[in-house]
């Protein structure tokens, strides 16, 4: 009975993947042109690919070498807490980098902060590739972690600040897609390098099996540092520095094909100027400002989203998938594990295309439930059909684990199938959403600081899990799946009561989303204040003029920066957010 059920599960997984890919390909023709036009204007997709690629290289930088004899021999067969410490050194550095990132991004700009992260990553990669022992490896991974902490914090902030609201989720999702590509590429580099010498099972395998993959990590960082010289500065950062002429020029290039007087450009300029004026009046600019009740609520939500993004169990799969496949009794765990990285890439595409259609909230809720089910099935199967790894069944391939599925191929296939389903569920839901949501919910003056705390939460839990999972697999083995299933249930309940929908709103409208007292499970008001501003400007009910020098550069005319309006105008810059919301609602 069970062999039939196991085979059916494998078939169902294959059918689901095929259907999703087919639907994605059909819908892509309708969606991609509109996305591509916006991406071409911003260049943010290229920033996502390079910045996110570093993160991906980081996540899989250990998974492919764990199964090689070169790594095990050279570093004296690290297992349990020792291997956990090696793996955890990079997220530990990322935790520090995330906390430091806001100081760099607020002072020198988002773009420069990302470039600095690329330079630090190059140094860390060189230290890892040339490691002469465990201490240098740990130092190299910690330095690389600093870079990832900065990049993983500031890339989403940068993207959110230059993206049109209609595709902001898609733009930030491109970072997650780049992460998945980085994971996939690095893993297959490691898989190819594992054949060095006599292969991964050769006790005298050459150290190039791990040195080549770690050295090649330098390439995306070099592309990132050089490529960013051709990217614009964030208009919201420029506005915060009172560089309004440059800010509106960037907005014109991003959203108005260079036209400073385009209604959408003027409307967004008006919103940014007003929001920054409001934040200055209320002294919202420091870490102390994060403790204000209305901001603190968002900080806790952002920190929690990143925390649950780790406690859902995905990075456990990424770091230690080889151990999981060995425990399932898979003949070639390195090759079988690689399939999940391919699934991760493919299943992120629907999120890129449709996150701004179906919204952030459904992704968080349904994703948590789906991952919980997959983990429960895997845990129950391993508990019911597994056994301790005794001397009688221990092999060189599974010597580092204590619980195995022995000679039950259909059980093993079902475990693998649900591992793949788990990865696919994460990729289309929490993967992109856990980075999109925290990057878009904070006011401009504290955005970098607040997102740095949220990302530090990600890396703090990442570090703890990287350190704790090897001994957990060693001691409680299959029960670990049930623990992570419980975390996903807790995430579902928390997000249901705490996380409102943010799709279709500008960054400046997040006060309206979070501060009106509306329960998170109630649908937000439809429409956007930016759209109404744009309509008023087009109809002549509101006059917004570009800063004088920018306007002079554009058309040679002298204009005075500021806002002039008729009796039907929206309040001028510096008016409260509540007055804007009131008038917007009255118009609706």
């Amino acid at each position: 009975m069970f062999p039939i059920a196991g085979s059916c599960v494998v078939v169902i997984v294959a059918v689901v993947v095929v259907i999703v890919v087919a639907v994605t390909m059909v819908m892509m023709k309708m969606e991609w042109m509109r996305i591509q036009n916006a991406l071409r204007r911003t260049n943010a997709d290229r920033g996502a690919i390079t910045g996110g690629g570093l993160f991906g290289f980081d996540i899989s930088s250990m998974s492919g070498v764990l199964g090689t004899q070169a790594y095990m021999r050279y570093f004296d067969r690290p297992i349990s807490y020792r291997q956990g410490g090696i793996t955890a050194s990079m997220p530990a550095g990322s935790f520090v980098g995330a906390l430091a990132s806001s100081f760099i991004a607020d002072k020198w700009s988002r773009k420069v902060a990302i470039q600095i992260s690329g330079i630090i990553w190059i140094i860390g990669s060189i230290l890892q590739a040339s490691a002469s022992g465990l201490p240098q490896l740990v130092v190299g991974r910690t330095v690389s972690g600093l870079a990832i902490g900065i990049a993983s914090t500031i890339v989403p902030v940068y993207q959110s600040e230059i993206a049109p609201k209609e595709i902001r989720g898609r733009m930030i999702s491109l970072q997650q897609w780049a992460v998945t590509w980085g994971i996939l590429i690095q893993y297959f580099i490691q898989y190819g390098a594992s054949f060095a010498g006599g292969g991964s099972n050769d006790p005298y395998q050459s150290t190039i099996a791990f040195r080549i993959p770690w050295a090649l990590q330098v390439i995306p960082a070099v592309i990132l540092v050089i490529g960013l010289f051709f990217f614009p500065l964030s208009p919201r950062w420029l506005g915060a520095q009172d560089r309004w002429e440059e800010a509106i020029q960037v907005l014109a290039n991003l959203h108005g094909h260079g036209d400073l007087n385009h209604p959408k450009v003027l409307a967004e300029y008006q919103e940014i100027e007003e929001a920054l004026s409001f934040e200055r009046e209320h002294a919202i600019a420091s870490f102390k400002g994060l403790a204000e009740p209305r901001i603190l609520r968002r900080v806790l939500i952002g920190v929690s989203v990143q925390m649950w993004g780790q406690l859902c169990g995905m990075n456990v799969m990424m770091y230690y998938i080889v151990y999981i496949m060995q425990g399932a009794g898979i003949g070639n765990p390195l090759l079988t594990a690689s399939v999940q990285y391919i699934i991760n890439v493919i299943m992120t595409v629907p999120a890129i295309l449709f996150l701004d259609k179906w919204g952030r909230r459904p992704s968080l809720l349904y994703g948590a439930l789906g991952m919980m089910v997959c983990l429960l099935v895997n845990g129950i199967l391993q508990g019911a059909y597994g056994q301790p790894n005794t001397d009688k069944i221990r092999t060189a391939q599974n010597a580092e684990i204590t619980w195995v599925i022995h000679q039950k191929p259909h059980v093993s296939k079902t475990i693998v199938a649900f591992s793949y389903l788990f990865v696919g569920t994460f990729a289309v839901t929490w993967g992109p959403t856990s980075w999109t949501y925290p990057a878009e919910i904070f006011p401009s003056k504290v955005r970098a600081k607040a997102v740095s705390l949220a990302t530090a939460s990600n890396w703090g839990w990442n570090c703890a899990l990287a350190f704790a999972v090897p001994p957990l697999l060693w001691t409680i083995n299959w029960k670990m799946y049930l623990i992570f299933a419980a975390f996903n249930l807790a995430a579902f309940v928390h997000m249901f009561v705490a996380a409102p929908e943010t799709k279709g709103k500008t960054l400046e409208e997040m006060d309206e989303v979070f501060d009106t007292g509306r329960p998170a499970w109630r649908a937000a008001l439809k429409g956007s204040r930016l759209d109404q501003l744009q309509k008023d400007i087009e109809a002549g009910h509101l006059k917004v003029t570009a800063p004088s020098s920018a306007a002079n550069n554009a058309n040679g005319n002298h204009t005075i920066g500021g806002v002039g309006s008729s009796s039907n105008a929206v309040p001028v810059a510096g008016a409260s957010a509540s007055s804007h919301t009131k008038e917007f609602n009255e118009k609706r």
Side-chain angles (χ1 to χ4, degrees):
M1 182 69 182
F2 185 82
I4 296 175
S7 300
C8 288
V9 170
V10 174
V11 172
I12 291 171
V13 172
V15 170
V16 168
V17 172
V18 169
I19 290 174
V20 170
V21 172
V23 171
T24 299
M25 295 301 292
V26 171
M27 296 301 292
M28 190 177 294
K29 183 175 181 61
M30 295 184 289
E31 291 288 324
W32 191 248
M33 288 304 296
R34 186 158 67 94
I35 299 173
Q36 196 174 36
N37 288 337
L39 297 181
R40 190 180 295 118
R41 294 198 300 271
T42 62
N43 275 332
D45 56 329
R46 297 166 198 169
I49 289 171
T50 47
L54 297 185
F55 188 4
F57 271 65
D58 153 41
I59 290 175
S60 63
S61 61
M62 293 300 300
S63 55
V65 302
L66 287 177
T68 65
Q69 289 300 313
Y71 174 82
M72 299 301 290
R73 184 191 75 253
Y74 193 80
F75 295 107
D76 197 21
R77 305 192 72 81
I79 58 174
S80 190
Y81 287 106
R82 195 175 186 191
Q83 180 56 52
I86 296 171
T87 306
S89 59
M90 186 171 285
S94 300
F95 176 80
V96 176
L99 290 176
S101 62
S102 65
F103 299 100
I104 303 171
D106 285 339
K107 184 175 180 60
W108 289 301
S109 83
R110 287 47 166 144
K111 186 175 84 167
V112 171
I114 300 170
Q115 288 179 302
I116 290 173
S117 75
I119 294 170
I120 296 174
W121 175 266
I122 291 171
I123 297 170
S125 297
I126 292 172
L127 288 172
Q128 290 178 72
S130 62
S132 58
L134 198 57
Q136 185 177 340
L137 174 62
V138 170
V139 170
R141 287 181 59 80
T142 304
V143 172
S144 292
L146 288 171
I148 294 303
I150 297 170
S152 62
T153 301
I154 304 304
V155 168
V157 170
Y158 178 66
Q159 290 173 303
S160 71
E161 292 187 343
I162 66 176
K165 65 180 177 60
E166 295 84 3
I167 62 166
R168 186 174 61 242
R170 295 169 184 172
M171 295 279 283
I172 301 177
S173 296
L174 281 169
Q175 174 186 322
Q176 179 62 22
W177 199 39
V179 170
T180 66
W181 274 108
I183 293 170
L184 179 67
I185 293 169
Q186 173 69 306
Y187 186 85
F188 274 110
I189 290 173
Q190 293 175 353
Y191 180 69
S194 71
F195 291 98
S200 60
N201 294 322
D202 180 6
Y204 303 104
Q205 185 182 30
S206 170
T207 60
I208 65 173
F210 59 81
R211 295 193 191 278
I212 288 177
W214 293 344
L216 291 177
Q217 295 179 132
V218 169
I219 295 174
V222 172
I223 296 172
L224 177 68
V225 173
I226 297 174
L228 276 172
F229 283 110
F230 304 97
F231 283 30
L233 293 168
S234 163
R236 288 169 172 85
W237 180 83
L238 289 168
Q241 313 303 311
D242 286 324
R243 294 162 59 176
W244 289 107
E245 293 84 358
E246 297 172 72
I248 197 168
Q249 187 63 62
V250 172
L251 288 172
N253 292 336
L254 293 176
H255 308 312
H257 302 282
D259 181 6
L260 291 171
N261 295 312
H262 191 287
K264 185 172 184 178
V265 173
L266 294 175
E268 189 153 6
Y269 163 70
Q270 158 75 0
E271 275 221 317
I272 294 171
E273 185 182 37
E274 175 189 302
L276 288 172
S277 297
F278 178 76
E279 291 165 21
R280 283 171 177 150
E281 288 174 8
H282 292 76
I284 304 172
S286 64
F287 275 104
K288 186 178 179 181
L290 299 180
E292 281 195 19
R294 74 183 190 89
I295 305 299
L296 181 60
R297 178 197 171 196
R298 288 182 244 182
V299 171
L300 293 177
I301 293 174
V303 167
S304 298
V305 167
Q306 289 282 27
M307 175 187 74
W308 294 127
Q310 287 299 317
L311 293 180
C312 73
M314 178 58 175
N315 275 351
V316 173
M317 291 286 189
M318 291 300 163
Y319 283 137
Y320 300 117
I321 186 63
V322 171
Y323 288 166
I324 293 169
M325 294 302 175
Q326 288 173 346
I330 299 302
N332 190 336
L334 281 175
L335 182 60
T336 308
S338 69
V339 177
Q340 79 161 359
Y341 298 111
I342 298 172
I343 293 173
N344 199 20
V345 171
I346 293 173
M347 295 302 290
T348 303
V349 175
I352 295 172
L353 294 176
F354 306 120
L355 182 60
D356 288 304
K357 288 185 176 294
W358 64 50
R360 286 58 158 155
R361 186 174 165 83
S363 295
L364 295 174
L365 296 179
Y366 296 134
L369 287 179
M371 290 186 289
M372 179 188 71
V373 170
C374 293
L375 289 168
L376 280 175
V377 171
N378 270 359
I380 291 170
L381 288 177
Q382 293 216 26
Y385 295 94
Q387 64 185 83
N389 189 12
T390 61
D391 292 338
K392 185 177 179 180
I393 59 175
R394 184 175 292 115
T395 65
Q397 189 181 63
N398 66 18
E400 284 77 37
I401 56 177
T402 59
W403 191 265
V404 296
I405 304 295
H406 184 60
Q407 294 183 348
K408 297 182 179 69
H410 294 289
V411 177
S412 297
K413 290 176 182 177
T414 304
I415 290 172
V416 171
F418 273 93
S419 296
Y420 292 162
L421 273 177
F422 175 90
V423 171
T425 302
F426 176 88
V428 81
T429 58
W430 275 79
T433 309
S434 63
W435 292 102
T436 300
Y437 201 82
E440 65 186 4
I441 64 177
F442 299 108
S444 182
K445 292 287 270 185
V446 294
R447 185 171 296 120
K449 295 179 177 65
V451 175
S452 76
L453 290 181
T455 308
S457 167
N458 176 294
W459 289 113
W461 286 103
N462 190 313
C463 178
L465 292 175
F467 183 74
V469 166
L472 283 175
L473 282 170
W474 188 266
T475 55
I476 67 172
N477 33 74
W478 62 270
K479 301 181 187 72
M480 184 189 71
Y481 290 94
L482 306 184
I483 293 174
F484 284 105
F487 285 148
N488 278 285
L489 177 60
F492 172 83
V493 174
H494 186 194
M495 293 299 100
F496 181 82
V497 300
E501 184 56 70
T502 58
K503 71 170 183 177
K505 301 293 184 181
T506 66
L507 299 180
E508 287 68 37
E509 289 178 298
M510 291 303 160
D511 287 350
E512 178 185 316
V513 173
F514 284 90
D515 299 343
T516 57
R518 184 184 299 109
W521 56 86
R522 283 188 57 190
L525 295 175
K526 294 183 179 180
S528 169
R529 191 168 63 239
L530 178 66
D531 296 334
Q532 185 61 50
L533 278 170
Q534 184 176 344
K535 290 177 182 177
D536 286 346
I537 292 171
E538 290 173 341
H541 298 151
L542 175 70
K543 182 175 176 57
V544 179
T545 54
S548 56
S549 60
N552 289 338
N553 290 338
N555 53 35
N557 297 329
H558 178 74
T559 59
I560 299 175
V563 179
S565 64
S566 67
S567 59
N568 196 32
V570 178
V572 298
S576 71
S578 61
S579 66
H580 252 220
T581 302
K582 180 179 178 182
E583 179 155 353
F584 173 58
N585 290 336
E586 287 173 352
K587 287 187 177 185
R588 295 178 58 239

